[in-house]
Amino acid sequence: RPDSAEDVANIFRAAGDLGLPLTFRSGGTSLSGQSSGDGLMVDTRRHFKKIEVLEDGKKVRVQPGATIMMVNNYLAPYGYKLGPDPASWSACTIGGVVANNSSGMSSGTKYNTYNTLDSMVFVLPSGTIIDTAEPDADQKLRSLEPELHEGLLRLRKRVTENPESMAKIRQQYSMKNTMGYGLNSLVDFETPVDILQHLLIGSEGTLGFVASATYRTLPILKNISTGLLVFDNLIDAARSVPELVANKLATVELMDATSIRVAQRTGQAAEALAAIDVKDHAALLVEFQGNSEQELNDLAAAAAPMFKSLPVASPVSMTSKLSERNALWAARRGLYTTVAGNRRSGTNALLEDVVVPVEVLGNTCSDLTKLFDAHGYQDSVIFGHAKDGNIHFMLNEQFRDPKQLDRYRDFTEEMVQLILSADGSLKAEHGTGRIMAPFVSRQFGDELFDVMRQIKRLIDPKGFMNPGVLLVEPDTDYVTDLKVAETVEEEVDRCVECGYCEPVCPSRNLTLTPRKRIVLRREIAAAEANGDHELAERLRKEYEYYGIETCAVDGMCQTRCPVNINTGDLIRRLRSENQDKLAATGWKIAAQQWGIMDKVAGKSLTV
């Protein structure tokens, strides 16, 4: 748990010398990610939380442990906000947003970290610290890291002088794309320090540590109207997206037929959704955003003819009322809760992330649905950011069962073929991770894949930074290191380890968060299942203080949990089961005679 960039630099030097693999951990809300490794884990959340508002809110300097919600709360009085707007904004941290180049509902590619970053302070695997805001930052990089400086220029020349590479990069980065390293950095920037700081964006902790990032912010648009467009099928919905974007809809969120059915089961669906007799329907949740009510009215008036021409199943209605807008959004936000919360015990909930050109979005969604049916994935919903061609889909899988593991492999192979044949990207905003890492070469081709390998060797020659993530050889078995969600106590078994609970836990900076308490219960169960009884017993012993004695059991975790878990319920039961009967009897008598106890205790303290 380092508390400064200098501490991180020292850790890097030691880990490099020892050949010890190193992985960063911050918010950990990427629900298909696995933030773990076989070596050292560096917690960047505990101490890196500083937020500094600059230029009356037009810029903000942030350390990686601060959440998006914290930063936006600091900026709100100035009338500004961050560009990236991931759905997990209450728990995800700047460290993860930079490491994954996350975007979100309305930021698209225009307002992600890559395009709104002003400067950063980073630590290289060698221990070198660079502040790119300094006017001599590039000269400093050349002085301290001459081989890296020269190597980046060489790679830039290699890429820009190859017409095929340039064409591939233009095509790939015309859409959201977080697959592999951001090779557009080699095209968009000329000086090595600018190239390097943009390569670090989306690098998932494999190239260095971002100690702080300074963002150019966006003005908050306070006037918003929301509407739900219902179509008879996915194709009609997807074909309408370009026209909606052309009419300045800031948000266009897609829900397929399964999503609508799932939303209806939550009991929270707005009337417009609840009334649908779902067959092959699809829905688009859309929003106008403006600086004033007049601007909002103007946008709606200009789009009225377009709305009338759409092949919708019911008339279009937009609302600015907060309660009605929240009801519409509840369905979209409740999808994950319903599907993940109702999965079978012992299965993992995977939230995947792909992008295709908008013109083939409908056909791609339709083909994905067929893949779900072919491989027996029930209730696998498709939803996401339609205006970017970026969709998410969910799978529940049992990774301990070899047959289910083979099913997942087969599905993944067919899904990869589907997305790449549509000239899409296998990752749009969640980061490459472990599962998609073996497919980077297939997406970019041998030449650009080799450029990525050269980038890794230049910056991290010892290869100790988060190995196995983002960049691996094509024949790597991506299911080897998948973590199995062991069945644990009923009170917490539905946990998906998203980390939403962590920012509100009172003991988060003392011992463990609710997520960690549950993870350790699964580790104990896994140790028993693997026959490692010695490890299980050691964990149980250590869990007494870290897991049980220091939990506040206040239920704050439940206020943020997407599947409504109160970890305190489990801890209260464990305390009851572990209680010494004689001591419990004594305390019960003391509680019944507390007036006398209070006086005796007071006199004892005086003595």
Side-chain angles (χ1 to χ4, degrees):
R1 293 188 179 122
D3 61 9
S4 68
E6 289 74 21
D7 276 359
V8 174
N10 290 331
I11 291 169
F12 280 1
R13 294 186 188 102
D17 290 343
L18 295 169
L20 186 65
L22 183 150
T23 302
F24 290 113
R25 177 80 189 198
S26 190
T29 61
S30 180
L31 300 173
S32 59
Q34 307 251 357
S35 297
S36 57
D38 290 329
L40 183 67
M41 182 173 287
V42 180
D43 179 350
T44 65
R45 187 171 194 164
R46 179 72 62 91
H47 299 298
F48 290 90
K49 294 182 178 179
K50 188 176 179 181
I51 301 168
E52 186 179 359
V53 177
L54 307 171
E55 298 180 19
D56 292 327
K58 293 179 182 177
K59 291 182 182 179
V60 63
R61 184 180 295 120
V62 193
Q63 291 187 328
T67 65
I68 296 290
M69 184 171 78
M70 289 167 60
V71 180
N72 282 342
N73 285 344
Y74 268 72
L75 289 169
Y78 299 89
Y80 290 91
K81 65 175 183 176
L82 287 172
D85 61 339
S88 58
W89 71 296
S90 66
C92 69
T93 60
I94 291 294
V97 168
V98 174
N100 291 331
N101 196 24
S102 308
S103 42
M105 302 282 187
S106 59
S107 64
T109 56
K110 188 175 181 180
Y111 301 121
N112 59 15
T113 299
Y114 186 90
N115 285 310
T116 59
L117 181 78
D118 186 73
S119 64
M120 67 165 63
V121 177
F122 60 77
V123 185
L124 294 174
S126 62
T128 296
I129 302 174
I130 301 288
D131 182 351
T132 66
E134 295 177 351
D136 63 342
D138 191 64
Q139 292 94 318
K140 185 177 179 181
L141 179 66
R142 182 170 55 189
S143 172
L144 296 174
E145 303 279 350
E147 291 184 15
L148 172 56
H149 192 277
E150 187 275 331
L152 290 173
L153 290 174
R154 185 176 65 250
L155 288 175
R156 183 179 192 279
K157 188 172 186 290
R158 174 177 169 178
V159 167
T160 56
E161 292 182 356
N162 185 325
E164 291 183 5
S165 293
M166 289 293 287
K168 185 69 172 178
I169 288 172
R170 288 193 188 98
Q171 184 271 323
Q172 284 289 298
Y173 296 98
S174 64
M175 54 190 170
K176 286 184 179 180
N177 193 337
T178 57
M179 192 72 167
Y181 292 122
L183 295 182
N184 49 338
S185 305
L186 296 168
V187 177
D188 296 339
F189 302 95
E190 296 181 358
T191 60
V193 76
D194 285 331
I195 293 170
L196 181 53
Q197 76 168 340
H198 285 86
L199 279 172
L200 284 165
I201 298 169
S203 65
E204 298 179 67
T206 63
L207 299 180
F209 171 63
V210 178
S212 74
T214 301
Y215 281 86
R216 298 182 296 275
T217 59
L218 306 180
I220 296 173
L221 302 178
K222 296 182 179 179
N223 293 270
I224 302 172
S225 64
T226 308
L228 187 75
L229 314 184
V230 181
F231 298 83
D232 289 327
N233 55 69
L234 261 174
I235 303 298
D236 285 349
R239 283 176 179 167
S240 303
V241 172
E243 205 170 352
L244 292 167
V245 174
N247 279 269
K248 301 182 180 180
L249 271 299
T251 302
V252 183
E253 292 290 297
L254 173 69
M255 291 184 284
D256 71 346
T258 306
S259 298
I260 298 172
R261 291 190 191 98
V262 168
Q264 289 175 336
R265 292 207 300 267
T266 67
Q268 298 177 340
E271 186 178 342
L273 266 177
I276 302 172
D277 181 15
V278 186
K279 296 181 177 65
D280 297 321
H281 291 81
L284 295 174
L285 187 62
V286 299
E287 279 192 344
F288 285 120
Q289 298 177 5
N291 285 303
S292 65
E293 189 174 341
Q294 183 59 51
E295 183 179 350
L296 209 60
N297 292 336
D298 291 344
L299 288 169
M306 178 269 300
F307 280 141
K308 289 181 181 179
S309 68
L310 292 178
V312 290
S314 57
V316 177
S317 176
M318 304 291 290
T319 178
S320 296
K321 290 184 179 179
L322 185 60
S323 59
E324 295 176 0
R325 290 182 51 239
N326 285 342
L328 288 169
W329 275 106
R332 165 67 174 83
R333 290 170 178 149
L335 290 174
Y336 180 76
T337 305
T338 305
V339 177
N342 288 290
R343 72 194 191 286
R344 285 187 300 112
S345 180
T347 61
N348 288 68
L350 295 179
L351 180 63
E352 282 297 354
D353 165 51
V354 297
V355 61
V356 294
V358 173
E359 57 269 21
V360 297
L361 178 62
N363 289 330
T364 302
C365 291
S366 179
D367 290 340
L368 261 179
T369 301
K370 293 173 184 175
L371 281 184
F372 296 150
D373 293 340
H375 293 279
Y377 286 112
Q378 298 178 347
D379 265 359
S380 289
V381 296
I382 297 174
F383 59 96
H385 319 307
K387 75 183 183 73
D388 301 309
N390 173 203
I391 53 174
H392 306 311
F393 60 88
M394 287 189 62
L395 302 176
N396 290 332
E397 190 56 279
Q398 167 57 271
F399 289 130
R400 191 173 284 283
D401 183 343
K403 290 183 179 179
Q404 304 303 311
L405 208 55
D406 287 340
R407 173 177 76 158
Y408 180 65
R409 278 195 182 97
D410 293 342
F411 169 83
T412 300
E413 180 61 36
E414 291 185 42
M415 184 273 292
V416 167
Q417 292 176 8
L418 171 64
I419 300 304
L420 296 187
S421 65
D423 290 326
S425 173
L426 298 169
K427 284 293 183 177
E429 59 179 7
H430 285 182
T432 309
R434 293 183 181 275
I435 295 174
M436 288 301 138
F439 302 105
V440 172
S441 60
R442 197 187 302 187
Q443 180 169 318
F444 282 91
D446 292 340
E447 165 62 13
L448 290 179
F449 181 63
D450 188 62
V451 170
M452 292 186 189
R453 282 192 293 198
Q454 295 305 317
I455 288 170
K456 175 68 172 174
R457 288 169 187 162
L458 262 178
I459 302 172
D460 178 25
K462 296 180 180 179
F464 70 93
M465 299 286 292
N466 211 6
V469 171
L470 192 140
L471 206 64
V472 298
E473 293 306 308
D475 59 353
T476 301
D477 186 0
Y478 55 87
V479 302
T480 301
D481 294 315
L482 290 177
K483 185 168 65 174
V484 177
E486 298 288 352
T487 297
V488 288
E489 292 84 357
E490 182 180 1
E491 294 95 332
V492 297
D493 190 51
R494 291 176 299 119
C495 175
V496 294
E497 301 180 25
C498 64
Y500 280 42
C501 58
E502 295 187 304
V504 296
C505 175
S507 62
R508 65 187 180 277
N509 291 327
L510 174 65
T511 51
L512 303 175
T513 64
R515 180 192 64 78
K516 292 175 183 177
R517 286 185 167 88
I518 297 169
V519 168
L520 280 169
R521 302 305 295 178
R522 287 178 172 157
E523 288 300 312
I524 292 169
E528 291 287 10
N530 295 330
D532 194 344
H533 303 298
E534 183 180 345
L535 174 61
E537 185 56 34
R538 196 188 96 195
L539 288 175
R540 283 195 190 95
K541 185 177 179 181
E542 294 182 359
Y543 196 80
E544 282 295 317
Y545 173 73
Y546 286 92
I548 297 175
E549 293 179 9
T550 54
C551 178
V553 296
D554 60 346
M556 285 298 294
C557 46
Q558 188 174 19
T559 67
R560 293 283 184 87
C561 179
V563 291
N564 205 35
I565 290 172
N566 183 344
T567 311
D569 291 342
L570 169 65
I571 302 303
R572 274 189 291 272
R573 180 164 67 80
L574 293 177
R575 285 177 179 175
S576 175
E577 292 172 356
N578 294 345
Q579 212 170 48
D580 179 271
K581 290 185 178 179
L582 182 60
T585 301
W587 280 112
K588 185 174 182 180
I589 294 170
Q592 292 168 343
Q593 305 295 329
W594 194 248
I596 297 172
M597 289 296 298
D598 184 39
K599 291 177 182 177
V600 172
K603 291 185 182 297
S604 300
L605 286 170
T606 301
V607 171

